[in-house]
Amino acid sequence: MNESLQRVVVLGGGSAGWLVAGLLAAEHPALHITLIESDEVPVIGVGEGTWPSMRDTLRRIGVSETEFIRRCHVSFKQGSRFDGWQRGASGASGDRYYHPFMLPVGYGDAQLVAAWCATPGERAFADLVSPSVQVCEAGLAPKQVQTPEFGAVANYAYHFDAGLFGQLLREHATSRLGVQHVVDHVEAVMPHENGDIAALRTRNRGEVAADLFIDCSGLSARLIHGHYGVPLRSEREVLFNDAAMPVQVPYDRVDAPVASCTVATAWAKGWIWDIGLPTRRGVGCVFSRAHASEDEARAALQAYLQATGAPPDTPTPRVIRYDPGYRKQFWVRNCVAIGLSSGFIEPLEASALALVELSAQRLCMDLPMARASMDAVARRFNEDFSYRWARVIDFLKLHYLLSARDDSDYWRAHRDPSNWPERLRELIPIWRLRPPARHDFGRIDEVFPDASYQYVLYGMGFRPELSPLSEVQWRTAQACFDEAARQARRFLAGLPGHRSLLVHLQHAAA
């Protein structure tokens, strides 16, 4: 019972399954890792946005960034842009703000928020403290041709084709990392007498035994819910969206600009994502079925596509329905759920893959592990990720509760404090007198740090009532604003166009 685990089975492929298998194999080469996926279960394949942490994840797995860009139709993502969320007047001249990946210049060293509040004019907070806004507005890439793989001039993550990403990870994990790939349908879960899972019985291969089973089976949650019966902790009363309508949209010309941020455009009863890849756009309507019919959502999506130059023969979007929430336990006995099997809230801010990365990295750190210590590891894992999911929900709710939109019950209901998470009900009054700070959050490695809260708060028009600055504090903050402006001028002069860099990288890889 004290021997270290030797065999791991990952149930389910896609981005989550292959990321977990790849990281485990790269970090613990002595493990025998088998990934089982059924060719009868389609991959959802709409998780096309990431966080900058994905650069380190790919590096740890050993994937070449150039190969990744060539194979997966990758574009660079420097943050998110929100149109129409505050007042409903979208567009550059109306209601728009950015959540960039670059920390504010002078973050942690200067009273940036107080100086911004005291600065004459209506310049947006993010534009004043980060050069990324101007880089995105100019359609530029976050790095130069000569910048090394995974290196950055401006901080960045990726957009990619999720189906192709899973294929690349599968090929890399099986050919270079020794992961065994089994394509078969799991017919039954075979338990030990003590309640652990002993093996998965497959249709053609028979029983596949292991010491640890990782449930990456998607929304079906075949092991954590289907076998162990762990329910979802529903968040439908906090974040109302429970359906998405994705569609792939061709460009109207081959040299069309590629956006270097995710564009999130609010509509009366939800929002629409727009992700630019080199080959196409990934667009989707997110909505609450309690507030909008599928016909209304389809009409809103069609109106957006027409307004943004989509060709008239755009494919008919499919509908993905889900229950927003996360598991009451992620790890039970020798089974741990990662990815959609552990929960899903909504696509806003691309938290899904970030949580996959965090879960896989935590699992890597907890290995090697003996069965005798697994229950303690599981208890700590469950506490940690219950905290993380709750903080993700806080941050996503922040995007809605400050809106002044009054064009539907959907937005009015989001403003009702009775459905705010308790932490936000406590923190919003505090933040009226000071900015969000590091000590407001419990972890060093928060999914969304206090800088992210500042970008969203002040982008949504939240104006704190802060004490006047001393002369020294004012000069320090102004020096940071000046440095952000200098960086922006340097980036605008030296960075290539986004599409032109992607084309260069494609040719270099070929």
Side-chain angles (χ1 to χ4, degrees):
M1 292 293 288
N2 288 320
E3 293 182 358
S4 296
L5 307 180
Q6 302 297 318
R7 300 169 299 171
V8 176
V9 163
V10 179
L11 178 60
S15 298
W18 287 111
L19 273 172
V20 172
L23 270 171
L24 284 176
E27 302 271 322
H28 298 279
L31 283 177
H32 183 274
I33 301 171
T34 302
L35 186 144
I36 304 174
E37 62 178 336
S38 172
D39 56 6
E40 299 177 5
V41 180
V43 176
I44 290 180
V46 296
E48 297 184 329
T50 64
W51 272 76
S53 55
M54 184 60 73
R55 286 156 49 204
D56 185 57
T57 296
L58 293 177
R59 187 190 298 114
R60 290 170 66 179
I61 293 175
V63 172
S64 157
E65 185 179 46
T66 304
E67 177 74 358
F68 168 54
I69 291 170
R70 183 181 72 84
R71 291 277 304 276
C72 300
H73 300 172
V74 173
S75 60
F76 295 112
K77 174 185 176 182
Q78 300 181 59
S80 296
R81 192 185 89 200
F82 296 89
D83 288 0
W85 285 70
Q86 185 187 0
R87 300 181 305 278
S90 61
S93 61
D95 181 356
R96 170 179 292 183
Y97 76 93
Y98 279 84
H99 174 198
F101 287 145
M102 287 189 72
L103 291 173
V105 174
Y107 170 70
D109 298 324
Q111 301 291 328
L112 300 176
V113 177
W116 166 68
C117 289
T119 299
E122 294 294 327
R123 193 171 179 189
F125 175 74
D127 192 27
L128 194 61
V129 301
S130 171
S132 287
V133 173
Q134 294 188 51
V135 174
C136 288
E137 288 283 296
L140 301 181
K143 59 196 300 180
Q144 297 170 311
V145 170
Q146 65 270 28
T147 307
E149 286 199 340
F150 302 114
V153 175
N155 198 16
Y156 70 87
Y158 308 104
H159 293 135
F160 53 70
D161 183 302
L164 296 176
F165 183 52
Q167 293 176 25
L168 173 67
L169 292 174
R170 180 189 66 210
E171 292 178 20
H172 183 80
T174 55
S175 65
R176 300 190 182 185
L177 299 175
V179 175
Q180 185 176 10
H181 183 207
V182 173
V183 180
D184 207 342
H185 183 73
V186 172
E187 294 187 321
V189 179
M190 312 302 293
H192 277 300
E193 290 184 1
N194 67 358
D196 284 3
I197 297 175
L200 303 181
R201 192 180 73 220
T202 63
R203 180 178 298 161
N204 301 312
R205 187 183 178 91
E207 293 186 5
V208 181
D211 306 307
L212 178 67
F213 292 82
I214 304 174
D215 187 351
C216 296
S217 61
L219 294 175
S220 67
R222 182 75 184 275
L223 303 182
I224 198 71
H225 178 63
H227 179 67
Y228 282 116
V230 178
L232 277 177
R233 188 192 309 268
S234 178
E235 295 294 334
R236 190 185 297 272
E237 300 304 313
V238 177
L239 288 160
F240 315 142
N241 294 331
D242 60 1
M245 198 174 285
V247 64
Q248 296 181 0
V249 182
Y251 288 108
D252 56 357
R253 64 180 200 273
V254 295
D255 62 343
V258 180
S260 56
C261 60
T262 298
V263 179
T265 301
W267 66 286
K269 299 178 181 182
W271 63 278
I272 295 169
W273 79 75
D274 196 337
I275 287 174
L277 303 184
T279 52
R280 62 165 173 83
R281 291 158 57 201
V283 184
C285 183
V286 183
F287 61 101
S288 161
R289 286 177 288 159
H291 296 87
S293 68
E294 291 182 3
D295 286 342
E296 286 179 292
R298 193 172 290 107
L301 178 59
Q302 187 59 39
Y304 177 84
L305 293 174
Q306 291 177 353
T308 55
D313 56 347
T314 299
T316 301
R318 59 194 171 107
V319 181
I320 300 172
R321 303 172 188 87
Y322 62 93
D323 185 10
Y326 58 95
R327 297 288 160 196
K328 291 189 176 180
Q329 290 176 285
F330 309 101
W331 194 323
V332 177
R333 302 202 66 85
N334 66 334
C335 171
V336 56
I338 296 178
L340 293 177
S341 60
S342 68
F344 183 70
I345 304 299
E346 65 160 278
L348 189 67
E349 294 282 12
S351 62
L353 277 179
L355 284 167
V356 169
E357 293 178 85
L358 285 168
S359 300
Q361 290 162 10
R362 172 63 177 270
L363 190 56
C364 285
M365 289 189 292
D366 283 329
L367 293 170
M369 178 198 316
R371 180 61 187 91
S373 61
M374 187 181 292
D375 292 341
V377 172
R379 183 171 58 253
R380 294 161 64 89
F381 187 98
N382 287 330
E383 291 173 355
D384 188 13
F385 281 89
S386 292
Y387 172 88
R388 291 186 183 280
W389 277 89
R391 299 295 75 73
V392 166
I393 289 161
D394 289 347
F395 186 63
L396 299 188
K397 184 67 173 183
L398 188 70
H399 293 66
Y400 295 95
L401 63 85
L402 296 171
S403 177
R405 292 187 67 131
D406 203 36
D407 51 342
S408 74
D409 289 340
Y410 174 87
W411 292 100
R412 287 189 287 270
H414 271 302
R415 290 198 292 272
D416 182 354
S418 67
N419 61 55
W420 295 5
E422 181 179 357
R423 283 174 61 92
L424 282 184
R425 284 201 301 269
E426 294 176 346
L427 286 168
I428 291 295
I430 293 172
W431 290 341
R432 293 198 182 279
L433 299 177
R434 65 160 175 82
R438 289 171 180 165
H439 64 267
D440 291 328
F441 309 96
R443 307 293 171 92
I444 296 173
D445 56 346
E446 292 282 342
V447 180
F448 300 106
D450 54 289
S452 293
Y453 279 80
Q454 292 182 15
Y455 281 133
V456 174
L457 273 174
Y458 308 132
M460 288 295 293
F462 188 88
R463 302 287 291 199
E465 302 168 3
L466 305 180
S467 302
L469 295 178
S470 69
E471 185 177 347
V472 172
Q473 290 173 323
W474 176 258
R475 286 202 305 268
T476 301
Q478 288 299 313
C480 294
F481 296 159
D482 292 343
E483 175 58 25
R486 280 193 294 271
Q487 288 185 18
R489 289 193 295 270
R490 189 165 67 249
F491 291 177
L492 292 177
L495 289 171
H498 190 194
R499 180 176 284 281
S500 65
L501 179 61
L502 296 174
V503 169
H504 173 86
L505 292 173
Q506 283 284 344
H507 291 164

